[in-house]
Amino acid sequence: MKNILLPICLFFTIGVQATFAQYHIRGKVTDSQSTAIQAATIKLIGQHKTAQSDQNGFFTFTDLKPGKYQLELAYLGYQPHRKEIQIKDADVQLSLQLEPDSRELQTVEIMGRTEKSYKNSVSYAGTKVAAEIKDVPQSIQYVTKELMADQGAVRMTDIVKNVSGVNQYTFYDDVSIRGFRNQGGVGSNSSNQLFNGLRTFNGFWRQNLLNYLERVEIIKGPAAALFGNVNPGGTINKVTKKPLDTARRSINLQMGNYNTLRTNLDFTGPANSSKTVLYRLNLGYENANSFRDLMFDKNIVIAPSLSYVPSSNTRINFDAVYNKSNSRLDRGQSIFGSNDLHSTPISLNVADINDFLNEETYLITTSLTHRFSDKLTLNASYLRTGYRQDLFEHRSTSFAVDKQGKNIENLALRRASQRHNEQFSDSFTAYLSSNLHTGKVEHRLVLGYDYNASTIPVGSSQMDAAGYRLKDGTIASKYVAKDSAKYVFYNYKGKMIPMPNVPSFDLSKNEHSLLSVDGYVYAANNTDVVVPFRSEQHSVYVQDYLSYKRLKLLLGLRWDSYISHLNYSTPQLEKVRQHAFQPRIGATYAILDNINAYATYTTGYNPQDARSQNPNAGGPFDPMTSYLLEAGLKTEWFGRRLSATVSVYDIQQRNVLYNALDPDNPDLLVQIGKDKSRGIELDVVGYIAPGLNVLATYAYNHARLDGANAGADTTYNNQQKPNAPKNQGSVWAKYVVQQGALKGFGIGSGVHVVGNRTFGFQGQKNIVPSHGPGYTLVSAAAYYTINAIQLQFNVNNLTNRTHWVGGYDSSRLYPGSPRTWLFSTTYTF
């Protein structure tokens, strides 16, 4: 009996050990030159296990049972690699070699980016062909979706604080770059934003959710040689998430203070077994209140994307983004007098309960790339942007007055507006790119044509209720004390004062009520955002990107024809035509394998809006022209995982228009002689060691106005430009523990510093607060990842610092948010 039991027990023991045995997979990732590849992503399919190769290319998977596994390896610029692995009774050692993949350096961005860190290596917008950013002779900075996610950034002003020289201007989709305001909203005929490299515009009055973005690129300086009339400070390019040829799915839930609730979904992968059709779908939902009185946001985002790759020579892509939002328009904080920022709480808002702002936006893009041969490729893209707005608002315009006409500085005079606005734009680009050689010189030639049209059709309108009531039932635009007998008066705190058309708001009480608006007397307001309008732009350009050993030259020339339709859709239609040639010259030299020196000269041109050319505004005015001189170093460290750029620049713009502040002619404009900006910038971003991502920026910007006077008591000369700090910077770092008991736990922290600024202009005494105080904001985050679930907690403005991100005047100041927190849960499968 003993002889029988002994083998049985031994067999049972071996079986138990085999069942519960734990083994490892260890490996090294190299390229075709046997050089270690760092930060490559390695997955065990179906196991919810992911690793990244370290600085020596090594990776490890632990605690694996015997059996078969599918390993997947991905890294930007290389072909995806899959391998089947069998674990029997010992650890597995692997040596994995990746081959270059031309799909990752396509001429247009159709396939999705596979990098999964703060660093982005390739830009398509900088040269209109795939080029490594380090080789482009111009500063191009970016913020990737990974950095956005780690910081809990959901809107543009959350994102761009990570880029040197970019500063928030207002609450709206509105920033300054190197001291030049980047607006391009509704009513603009020269938008300064790009969407997948194509010209578009934004709704301006609020910021949309950006959960569908792969990254945001900022091309510094006037990139007119590529895109025509753009901001001389820089151009923002929003790059959407593209389909991947491997399946990835995630669901993200966010909850925060001010009753914030958000849901984001991101699904991507092949739609068929041959992987010729790829898809991506991003969905977003938001319901959130604000620290500002009466403010809220309700948003829906639907962003599908499809890629059709029938062969290695042809790729077709379709992208769409639809955003619907319901909110109120926040015109900012009003204060007593003109200089005491603390005279009212930062939550104060003079809006009313029955105000609303309803917006719908869509962007639809189709693009095609076809390679005729190894030397010739055609690219064509078309973007349609549509926008619709319905608005009712109460806003402060100035202070109410007493019977003698003196300001009552705690009583804000208000105006009510009803507006319906629609605007559309069409952008098309087509270009041939060719790779040629003349001796030892490599040429990447681009020859292209661009078309852009922006239209406000018939049907938009705005009605304003403002001014003071007269006894005859009409409205006076302003109160004149000598004619007081004509006005209606009412009792305010025991004093009889002129009755406004719209009830004034008592700043000292800060009380809101549901006003009866039926008695308002309205008048049509033909503001720029509702007057029918159309502008067109036709452009041809040629560019040669030459490479010889360590030297690269970028030579470009563009011709633009601008057509503004004055009195559009009327018998008095007049077409105003303007033309411009724009050169671009740049050079990059590789001092060392990881250090490039660069220099560039490029010009800019912006035609004046045809509506500003009328005599009432003081026109006609000369067009705005600009140039950029820039030089710097672009470097890469730690096996190309960390990039650092330092640049010095000089930008000058001529003939920009500012309001002349003439009380007798509010439409009168004045043209500035020179609009200057000089400075130095530093940007560091990337992955230093396993689990450690960092970002650091600094900008010194001396942006001033020179060459014109405006008004008898106001001078613009030598003033620092509004909302353009001389000094600003950011630091952010995130570390995730890679092994041990705390594996998967991470922390993040950052500091954002903005120096003193000017709100309005210092010369405008008793009109605007001249001093915008600087501020320092601290943020922190904690992360924990277990299998397919990540938990994340972010705190912004940790010290609860009271600050202002921008301002116009005493009725429109823009305070920053107090301390906020956000808890996120992400499930990836």
PDB file of all heavy atoms in Angstrom, residues 1 16 61 163 259 301 366 389 410 476 479 535 538 542 553 589 602 633 663 704:
ATOM      1  N   MET A   1       0.833  -1.200   0.000  1.00  0.00           N
ATOM      2  CA  MET A   1       0.000   0.000   0.000  1.00  0.00           C
ATOM      3  C   MET A   1       0.867   1.250   0.000  1.00  0.00           C
ATOM      4  O   MET A   1       0.597   2.208  -0.694  1.00  0.00           O
ATOM      5  CB  MET A   1      -0.929  -0.018   1.222  1.00  0.00           C
ATOM      6  CG  MET A   1      -1.947   1.097   1.234  1.00  0.00           C
ATOM      7  SD  MET A   1      -3.129   0.946  -0.121  1.00  0.00           S
ATOM      8  CE  MET A   1      -4.176   2.332   0.252  1.00  0.00           C
ATOM      9  N   VAL A  16       0.514  20.229  -8.129  1.00  0.00           N
ATOM     10  CA  VAL A  16       0.166  21.457  -7.408  1.00  0.00           C
ATOM     11  C   VAL A  16       1.213  22.526  -7.634  1.00  0.00           C
ATOM     12  O   VAL A  16       0.915  23.702  -7.883  1.00  0.00           O
ATOM     13  CB  VAL A  16      -0.007  21.173  -5.906  1.00  0.00           C
ATOM     14  CG1 VAL A  16      -0.129  22.468  -5.122  1.00  0.00           C
ATOM     15  CG2 VAL A  16      -1.221  20.291  -5.675  1.00  0.00           C
ATOM     16  N   PHE A  61       8.109  41.080 -17.343  1.00  0.00           N
ATOM     17  CA  PHE A  61       6.783  40.722 -16.855  1.00  0.00           C
ATOM     18  C   PHE A  61       6.965  39.662 -15.776  1.00  0.00           C
ATOM     19  O   PHE A  61       7.675  38.668 -15.985  1.00  0.00           O
ATOM     20  CB  PHE A  61       5.904  40.156 -17.981  1.00  0.00           C
ATOM     21  CG  PHE A  61       5.467  41.170 -18.988  1.00  0.00           C
ATOM     22  CD1 PHE A  61       6.082  41.241 -20.233  1.00  0.00           C
ATOM     23  CD2 PHE A  61       4.446  42.056 -18.706  1.00  0.00           C
ATOM     24  CE1 PHE A  61       5.688  42.172 -21.167  1.00  0.00           C
ATOM     25  CE2 PHE A  61       4.038  43.006 -19.630  1.00  0.00           C
ATOM     26  CZ  PHE A  61       4.660  43.066 -20.865  1.00  0.00           C
ATOM     27  N   VAL A 163       3.156  75.548 -22.311  1.00  0.00           N
ATOM     28  CA  VAL A 163       3.989  75.986 -23.431  1.00  0.00           C
ATOM     29  C   VAL A 163       4.528  77.380 -23.112  1.00  0.00           C
ATOM     30  O   VAL A 163       3.777  78.262 -22.703  1.00  0.00           O
ATOM     31  CB  VAL A 163       3.193  76.014 -24.742  1.00  0.00           C
ATOM     32  CG1 VAL A 163       4.076  76.482 -25.891  1.00  0.00           C
ATOM     33  CG2 VAL A 163       2.615  74.635 -25.042  1.00  0.00           C
ATOM     34  N   ASN A 259     -19.936  70.596  -8.503  1.00  0.00           N
ATOM     35  CA  ASN A 259     -20.852  69.631  -9.120  1.00  0.00           C
ATOM     36  C   ASN A 259     -20.404  69.213 -10.511  1.00  0.00           C
ATOM     37  O   ASN A 259     -21.217  69.057 -11.430  1.00  0.00           O
ATOM     38  CB  ASN A 259     -22.274  70.200  -9.185  1.00  0.00           C
ATOM     39  CG  ASN A 259     -22.857  70.481  -7.818  1.00  0.00           C
ATOM     40  OD1 ASN A 259     -22.725  69.660  -6.908  1.00  0.00           O
ATOM     41  ND2 ASN A 259     -23.464  71.643  -7.647  1.00  0.00           N
ATOM     42  N   VAL A 301     -19.940  65.914 -26.775  1.00  0.00           N
ATOM     43  CA  VAL A 301     -18.960  65.847 -27.856  1.00  0.00           C
ATOM     44  C   VAL A 301     -19.055  64.472 -28.506  1.00  0.00           C
ATOM     45  O   VAL A 301     -19.032  63.448 -27.819  1.00  0.00           O
ATOM     46  CB  VAL A 301     -17.523  66.066 -27.337  1.00  0.00           C
ATOM     47  CG1 VAL A 301     -16.518  65.913 -28.487  1.00  0.00           C
ATOM     48  CG2 VAL A 301     -17.385  67.441 -26.702  1.00  0.00           C
ATOM     49  N   THR A 366     -12.094  65.539 -44.553  1.00  0.00           N
ATOM     50  CA  THR A 366     -11.745  64.388 -45.375  1.00  0.00           C
ATOM     51  C   THR A 366     -10.367  64.634 -45.954  1.00  0.00           C
ATOM     52  O   THR A 366     -10.021  65.766 -46.318  1.00  0.00           O
ATOM     53  CB  THR A 366     -12.750  64.171 -46.526  1.00  0.00           C
ATOM     54  OG1 THR A 366     -12.793  65.342 -47.331  1.00  0.00           O
ATOM     55  CG2 THR A 366     -14.131  63.868 -45.983  1.00  0.00           C
ATOM     56  N   GLN A 389     -25.080  79.971 -32.948  1.00  0.00           N
ATOM     57  CA  GLN A 389     -25.161  80.505 -31.588  1.00  0.00           C
ATOM     58  C   GLN A 389     -26.513  81.185 -31.373  1.00  0.00           C
ATOM     59  O   GLN A 389     -26.987  81.920 -32.239  1.00  0.00           O
ATOM     60  CB  GLN A 389     -24.054  81.533 -31.374  1.00  0.00           C
ATOM     61  CG  GLN A 389     -24.113  82.270 -30.041  1.00  0.00           C
ATOM     62  CD  GLN A 389     -23.249  83.521 -30.044  1.00  0.00           C
ATOM     63  OE1 GLN A 389     -23.753  84.633 -30.076  1.00  0.00           O
ATOM     64  NE2 GLN A 389     -21.938  83.347 -30.036  1.00  0.00           N
ATOM     65  N   ASN A 410     -20.913 101.805  -7.204  1.00  0.00           N
ATOM     66  CA  ASN A 410     -21.338 100.480  -6.782  1.00  0.00           C
ATOM     67  C   ASN A 410     -22.565 100.012  -7.571  1.00  0.00           C
ATOM     68  O   ASN A 410     -23.162  98.994  -7.242  1.00  0.00           O
ATOM     69  CB  ASN A 410     -21.652 100.464  -5.283  1.00  0.00           C
ATOM     70  CG  ASN A 410     -22.854 101.325  -4.948  1.00  0.00           C
ATOM     71  OD1 ASN A 410     -22.968 102.444  -5.446  1.00  0.00           O
ATOM     72  ND2 ASN A 410     -23.773 100.810  -4.121  1.00  0.00           N
ATOM     73  N   ALA A 476     -32.482 107.116 -24.743  1.00  0.00           N
ATOM     74  CA  ALA A 476     -31.280 107.897 -25.018  1.00  0.00           C
ATOM     75  C   ALA A 476     -30.059 107.031 -24.765  1.00  0.00           C
ATOM     76  O   ALA A 476     -30.005 106.305 -23.769  1.00  0.00           O
ATOM     77  CB  ALA A 476     -31.233 109.135 -24.133  1.00  0.00           C
ATOM     78  N   TYR A 479     -26.778 109.611 -20.725  1.00  0.00           N
ATOM     79  CA  TYR A 479     -27.459 110.624 -19.912  1.00  0.00           C
ATOM     80  C   TYR A 479     -26.724 111.950 -20.030  1.00  0.00           C
ATOM     81  O   TYR A 479     -25.498 112.023 -19.881  1.00  0.00           O
ATOM     82  CB  TYR A 479     -27.510 110.190 -18.451  1.00  0.00           C
ATOM     83  CG  TYR A 479     -28.107 111.241 -17.545  1.00  0.00           C
ATOM     84  CD1 TYR A 479     -29.480 111.500 -17.560  1.00  0.00           C
ATOM     85  CD2 TYR A 479     -27.290 111.989 -16.686  1.00  0.00           C
ATOM     86  CE1 TYR A 479     -30.025 112.484 -16.741  1.00  0.00           C
ATOM     87  CE2 TYR A 479     -27.825 112.964 -15.864  1.00  0.00           C
ATOM     88  CZ  TYR A 479     -29.203 113.207 -15.898  1.00  0.00           C
ATOM     89  OH  TYR A 479     -29.745 114.180 -15.092  1.00  0.00           O
ATOM     90  N   SER A 535     -15.339  86.258 -46.897  1.00  0.00           N
ATOM     91  CA  SER A 535     -13.964  86.502 -47.310  1.00  0.00           C
ATOM     92  C   SER A 535     -13.431  85.231 -47.954  1.00  0.00           C
ATOM     93  O   SER A 535     -13.843  84.119 -47.612  1.00  0.00           O
ATOM     94  CB  SER A 535     -13.085  86.903 -46.122  1.00  0.00           C
ATOM     95  OG  SER A 535     -12.961  85.829 -45.212  1.00  0.00           O
ATOM     96  N   HIS A 538      -7.075  82.695 -51.853  1.00  0.00           N
ATOM     97  CA  HIS A 538      -6.479  81.762 -52.804  1.00  0.00           C
ATOM     98  C   HIS A 538      -4.970  81.873 -52.666  1.00  0.00           C
ATOM     99  O   HIS A 538      -4.422  82.990 -52.652  1.00  0.00           O
ATOM    100  CB  HIS A 538      -6.894  82.096 -54.233  1.00  0.00           C
ATOM    101  CG  HIS A 538      -8.371  82.000 -54.478  1.00  0.00           C
ATOM    102  ND1 HIS A 538      -8.986  80.849 -54.924  1.00  0.00           N
ATOM    103  CD2 HIS A 538      -9.361  82.921 -54.333  1.00  0.00           C
ATOM    104  CE1 HIS A 538     -10.286  81.063 -55.052  1.00  0.00           C
ATOM    105  NE2 HIS A 538     -10.543  82.318 -54.698  1.00  0.00           N
ATOM    106  N   VAL A 542       5.430  77.157 -52.880  1.00  0.00           N
ATOM    107  CA  VAL A 542       6.450  76.178 -53.204  1.00  0.00           C
ATOM    108  C   VAL A 542       7.455  76.150 -52.062  1.00  0.00           C
ATOM    109  O   VAL A 542       7.764  77.193 -51.450  1.00  0.00           O
ATOM    110  CB  VAL A 542       7.147  76.506 -54.546  1.00  0.00           C
ATOM    111  CG1 VAL A 542       7.832  77.862 -54.482  1.00  0.00           C
ATOM    112  CG2 VAL A 542       8.131  75.411 -54.924  1.00  0.00           C
ATOM    113  N   LEU A 553      18.199  72.882 -45.021  1.00  0.00           N
ATOM    114  CA  LEU A 553      17.697  74.207 -45.376  1.00  0.00           C
ATOM    115  C   LEU A 553      16.208  74.099 -45.719  1.00  0.00           C
ATOM    116  O   LEU A 553      15.787  73.152 -46.388  1.00  0.00           O
ATOM    117  CB  LEU A 553      18.450  74.777 -46.578  1.00  0.00           C
ATOM    118  CG  LEU A 553      19.920  75.139 -46.385  1.00  0.00           C
ATOM    119  CD1 LEU A 553      20.514  75.617 -47.710  1.00  0.00           C
ATOM    120  CD2 LEU A 553      20.076  76.221 -45.320  1.00  0.00           C
ATOM    121  N   TYR A 589      21.392  72.928 -38.342  1.00  0.00           N
ATOM    122  CA  TYR A 589      22.688  72.259 -38.450  1.00  0.00           C
ATOM    123  C   TYR A 589      22.896  71.376 -37.224  1.00  0.00           C
ATOM    124  O   TYR A 589      22.737  71.831 -36.083  1.00  0.00           O
ATOM    125  CB  TYR A 589      23.821  73.271 -38.547  1.00  0.00           C
ATOM    126  CG  TYR A 589      25.173  72.615 -38.746  1.00  0.00           C
ATOM    127  CD1 TYR A 589      25.552  72.132 -39.987  1.00  0.00           C
ATOM    128  CD2 TYR A 589      26.052  72.458 -37.676  1.00  0.00           C
ATOM    129  CE1 TYR A 589      26.782  71.516 -40.170  1.00  0.00           C
ATOM    130  CE2 TYR A 589      27.287  71.851 -37.846  1.00  0.00           C
ATOM    131  CZ  TYR A 589      27.645  71.377 -39.101  1.00  0.00           C
ATOM    132  OH  TYR A 589      28.851  70.760 -39.268  1.00  0.00           O
ATOM    133  N   THR A 602      11.052  84.636 -41.358  1.00  0.00           N
ATOM    134  CA  THR A 602       9.774  84.445 -42.034  1.00  0.00           C
ATOM    135  C   THR A 602       8.936  85.699 -41.862  1.00  0.00           C
ATOM    136  O   THR A 602       9.154  86.487 -40.934  1.00  0.00           O
ATOM    137  CB  THR A 602       9.034  83.203 -41.499  1.00  0.00           C
ATOM    138  OG1 THR A 602       7.847  82.986 -42.260  1.00  0.00           O
ATOM    139  CG2 THR A 602       8.676  83.373 -40.035  1.00  0.00           C
ATOM    140  N   LEU A 633      18.524  76.420 -30.159  1.00  0.00           N
ATOM    141  CA  LEU A 633      19.052  75.060 -30.114  1.00  0.00           C
ATOM    142  C   LEU A 633      17.914  74.092 -29.826  1.00  0.00           C
ATOM    143  O   LEU A 633      17.053  74.364 -28.980  1.00  0.00           O
ATOM    144  CB  LEU A 633      20.115  74.927 -29.023  1.00  0.00           C
ATOM    145  CG  LEU A 633      21.405  75.740 -29.181  1.00  0.00           C
ATOM    146  CD1 LEU A 633      22.270  75.579 -27.933  1.00  0.00           C
ATOM    147  CD2 LEU A 633      22.180  75.310 -30.422  1.00  0.00           C
ATOM    148  N   PRO A 663     -14.771 109.523 -27.258  1.00  0.00           N
ATOM    149  CA  PRO A 663     -16.146 109.398 -26.752  1.00  0.00           C
ATOM    150  C   PRO A 663     -17.197 109.858 -27.758  1.00  0.00           C
ATOM    151  O   PRO A 663     -18.352 109.432 -27.689  1.00  0.00           O
ATOM    152  CB  PRO A 663     -16.133 110.278 -25.500  1.00  0.00           C
ATOM    153  CG  PRO A 663     -14.989 111.223 -25.699  1.00  0.00           C
ATOM    154  CD  PRO A 663     -13.960 110.466 -26.475  1.00  0.00           C
ATOM    155  N   ARG A 704       5.844  95.313 -26.609  1.00  0.00           N
ATOM    156  CA  ARG A 704       5.425  96.695 -26.387  1.00  0.00           C
ATOM    157  C   ARG A 704       4.886  97.303 -27.681  1.00  0.00           C
ATOM    158  O   ARG A 704       5.089  96.777 -28.780  1.00  0.00           O
ATOM    159  CB  ARG A 704       6.588  97.531 -25.866  1.00  0.00           C
ATOM    160  CG  ARG A 704       7.690  97.791 -26.871  1.00  0.00           C
ATOM    161  CD  ARG A 704       8.869  98.484 -26.219  1.00  0.00           C
ATOM    162  NE  ARG A 704       9.816  99.006 -27.188  1.00  0.00           N
ATOM    163  CZ  ARG A 704      10.753  98.295 -27.785  1.00  0.00           C
ATOM    164  NH1 ARG A 704      10.861  97.008 -27.497  1.00  0.00           N
ATOM    165  NH2 ARG A 704      11.573  98.853 -28.652  1.00  0.00           N
TER     166      ARG A 704
END
